[in-house]
Amino acid sequence: MTKPSLCPSEFALERLRFGELAASAEETQILTHVADCKACRARQAELTTQVQPPLATDTIWAKATAQEPARRTSRWRSLVWPSAALTTAALSAFLVVSRSHEPDIVTKGAWQLGVIAKGRDGHITHLVPGAALSPGDRLRFEVTTGWAKASVALVMLDSTGKVSRLAPAGDRALSIAGGKRVLLDEAVQLDSTLGPERIVLVGCSGTIEVSDVVASAKRALAAADGDPRRVSSLGTGCHEESFWISKVKP
Amino acid sequence: MDDKTQPRQLNRSDLDLAYRRYAGIVLRRARRILGDEQLAHDICQDVFVQLLRSGAGWAKHSAIAWLHGTTTNCCLNLIRGNRRWHDFMRRLPPPEPVTPSLSAQLVLRGIPERLQEIAIYYGLDEMSQEEIALVLGLSQKTVSNRLRELRSWFAGVDQKTARNT
């Protein structure tokens, strides 16, 4: 007896949602099961739509550092949680935010793909995997690598079997330095296709052509019968991180 | 100091990022184990305090596994604490007439302390041995042994109950 139930545990579903099982056999197994299991799809939807508590880290920071809560909010925090009155300012911050984040040192070898969305109402949020978005929403991306430097490219696989190039705009993959978060210049607007979509970050130690990444993604998607949920790897031979979103009607 | 032994300290922006990304999971889990909204919020704070103190290596193997394990530990510590025990018991919802899995209350009533965590992961969360091993940082063999011990414990309780009835 290794498992009380055939359905994946909530733990497994959360790992899947946060991309911890990306390109693994377990991911494929769970996705295959979930596709045929109504109860698991309902559990997955419940996890995706769970209400995030409001950002309340002053007390936590004060407890951990045994200091008074800091009064000044960071630039990052004000970017992500703008008040309604600051929508215009935040909107421009979304479009022109510079790469001047604090340089964060990250664990060697670690990769992170962050996705930031600006809704049609102007609200900007840092997405969690599986987030529900609507056509017209705009996305930006931030990438972190523990490698000294890497070439990166981002593509999106949608449920109609289409592969879209997200970043960079040029032919050659973007070269980024390791050890800090890098906000990519590109912003994309979601089209009207509904359903699950998979954003894949490809990171290589050498140079890569974006067209090669797109071609690999198309082959992988075709091999999965056009279902982005069944693609376990693009087969680029490079590091891959994936992030799920679900596009729904507004 | 070697980086491997001294992980980088997390800063305020790391905390905000982690909280924004993971607080929902922690809160949901704490709520599930404790059955109390306010206590779940207290636990959520404790978990992120521990995250800050753990430094940048906290998510080295799996962020979800670390959060799962730390939240469970914090909840168990709260339940075990004498000071809040009675308060907690008063707030627990009545047991469901039919439950598909063990509730945290049943799990914790009388089960030896060293088996409580594994009882929650196996009985309440229905996690596989591999998943439990990942969360607890143990080998799968050790998990398997503890599950065997847990089953023996339950078998002993069943026999005792049968004798008494």
Side-chain angles (χ1 to χ4, degrees), chain A residues 115-167:
Chain A
V115 183
I116 305 159
K118 180 170 78 70
R120 291 176 310 159
D121 59 358
H123 275 258
I124 296 171
T125 45
H126 207 119
L127 300 181
V128 294
L133 295 168
S134 300
D137 289 348
R138 290 173 69 84
L139 302 181
R140 292 198 64 181
F141 312 95
E142 57 177 21
V143 177
T144 312
T145 175
W147 297 359
K149 68 173 194 175
S151 300
V152 297
L154 271 166
V155 292
M156 180 184 266
L157 287 62
D158 74 19
S159 49
T160 61
K162 194 174 81 183
V163 174
S164 310
R165 166 203 292 243
L166 299 181

Side-chain angles (χ1 to χ4, degrees), chain B residues 52-78:
Chain B
L52 267 179
R53 289 177 178 159
S54 299
W58 74 275
K60 196 175 169 190
H61 299 296
S62 157
I64 305 299
W66 188 93
L67 292 163
H68 227 69
T70 307
T71 307
T72 308
N73 261 326
C74 287
C75 290
L76 283 173
N77 287 340
L78 174 71

Side-chain angles (χ1 to χ4, degrees), chain A residues 176-233:
Chain A
I176 62 165
K180 60 181 179 182
R181 274 198 298 264
V182 177
L183 183 71
L184 305 187
D185 289 333
E186 287 76 8
V188 295
Q189 187 158 27
L190 296 178
D191 62 19
S192 56
T193 310
L194 301 180
E197 301 203 353
R198 182 174 197 161
I199 299 163
V200 182
L201 163 72
V202 177
C204 289
S205 52
T207 55
I208 40 164
E209 298 289 324
V210 181
S211 56
D212 290 342
V213 175
V214 172
S216 298
K218 282 181 177 169
R219 279 195 298 273
L221 193 53
D225 298 326
D227 185 349
R229 292 170 301 185
R230 292 178 184 269
V231 176
S232 57
S233 165

Side-chain angles (χ1 to χ4, degrees), chain A residues 103-120:
Chain A
D104 293 323
I105 303 160
V106 296
T107 314
K108 191 180 175 188
W111 281 84
Q112 282 176 6
L113 168 62
V115 183
I116 305 159
K118 180 170 78 70
R120 291 176 310 159

